[in-house]
Amino acid sequence: MINFRNTKFIKSAPSVNDKPEKDLAEVLFVGKSNVGKSTLINSLCSNKSLAHTSSKPGFTKLLNYYEVDEKFYLVDAPGYGYTISGSRHLASFGKMMEDYFANPNLKLVVFLIDSRHEMGKDDKDFYEFLKENKIKYLLVATKVDKLNQSENAKLDKYLKSIGADNYIKMSSLKNNLIEKLQNAIVSLLK
Ligand SMILES: Nc1nc2c(ncn2[C@@H]2O[C@H](COP(=O)(O)OP(=O)(O)O)[C@@H](O)[C@H]2O)c(=O)[nH]1
Ligand SMILES: [Mg+2]
C-alpha cells in the first residue's frame, strides 16, 4: 500500500542534473500549461497546498519533485507550448526534457490532455515522441466534470480513435476518480 497523503515537496530543479540525490523511480506529469497538472498532483496526495496551481497559464520552467511515501517521485514538468510572452517556444522545453527522458529512473509518464479539446500540435508531437521511444505512459483526460453527456460520449470516441494504450478520464474534483488514478499509477510502476 502506498500512502499518497505522505507526500513531501523535495525541490525545484532547473535541469535534470539538479534532481534530488535519493535514487527513486519517477513518475512525470506532462501536459500544456493550465491543463491541470498541479491540481491533479494535489488531489492525488490530498494536499491542496502541495503544488502551486493557477487559473492563468503557468510560467514554471522548473522540474518540481514530490516524494510519495518514501517510495517514488512525482515530477511536475513545465508546461510546453507557451512562454511568459505567450509566444510559441517548444524548443526550450525540448532541450530540458530531452535530457530528462534519458534518465533511467523515469518509469511512467502521466500525459494530461484537456477533455474538452482534441490534442493540439504540441500534444500530438509529444504523444508521438512517447510512442516512438516506447515510454510507458498513462493518458489522462482532465476536467471531465465540465463535460455534458454528449461531450462525454464524444471524448470516449476520440480517446479510442487516437489508439491510447492506457487512459483514464479524470476530474480533480471527484474522489472516486482520484483513487482510480492512484491505483493505475501504482500498478503501472510494478
Ligand atoms: N473544473 C475543473 N477545473 C480544474 C481541474 N483541474 C484543474 N482545474 C483548474 O484549471 C486551472 C489550471 O490548473 P493547474 O493545476 O494550475 O494547471 P497546470 O498549469 O497544468 O499545473 C486551475 O484554475 C484549476 O483550478 C478539474 O479537474 N476540473
Ligand atoms: Mg502547474
Side-chain angles (χ1 to χ4, degrees), residues 47-162:
N47 183 345
K48 283 199 176 102
S49 51
L50 199 59
H52 179 70
T53 64
S54 168
S55 55
K56 297 191 194 86
F59 308 141
T60 300
K61 285 197 185 153
L62 300 167
L63 293 160
N64 290 307
Y65 286 82
Y66 303 90
E67 188 182 308
V68 181
D69 210 16
E70 298 171 18
K71 302 280 193 320
F72 58 88
Y73 294 119
L74 298 179
V75 185
D76 196 357
Y80 47 68
Y82 293 89
T83 60
I84 293 166
S85 64
S87 62
R88 296 301 248 190
H89 205 268
L90 188 58
S92 66
F93 175 82
K95 174 65 185 132
M96 180 192 197
M97 295 318 284
E98 227 176 271
D99 294 346
Y100 184 85
F101 286 106
N103 156 23
N105 286 346
L106 175 64
K107 301 298 180 209
L108 176 67
V109 171
V110 176
F111 175 34
L112 289 80
I113 59 171
D114 190 317
S115 62
R116 295 166 297 173
H117 311 288
E118 297 196 350
M119 287 187 189
K121 179 167 188 321
D122 294 337
D123 294 321
K124 284 184 183 157
D125 287 349
F126 183 69
Y127 189 46
E128 284 309 309
F129 171 82
L130 287 176
K131 293 196 152 190
E132 265 167 31
N133 292 283
K134 301 198 166 37
I135 296 167
K136 201 194 267 185
Y137 69 89
L138 173 63
L139 182 66
V140 171
T142 62
K143 310 189 188 183
V144 290
D145 54 280
K146 295 198 176 194
L147 303 184
N148 64 31
Q149 219 173 4
S150 78
E151 288 166 331
N152 232 303
K154 212 174 127 192
L155 175 65
D156 283 326
K157 259 193 182 164
Y158 178 67
L159 290 171
K160 287 198 182 99
S161 76
I162 60 175

Side-chain angles (χ1 to χ4, degrees), residues 32-39 52-55 58 143 145-146 170-173:
K32 62 179 173 243
S33 82
N34 220 41
V35 72
K37 295 179 294 297
S38 302
T39 305
H52 179 70
T53 64
S54 168
S55 55
K143 310 189 188 183
D145 54 280
K146 295 198 176 194
M170 182 57 48
S171 163
S172 288
L173 310 177

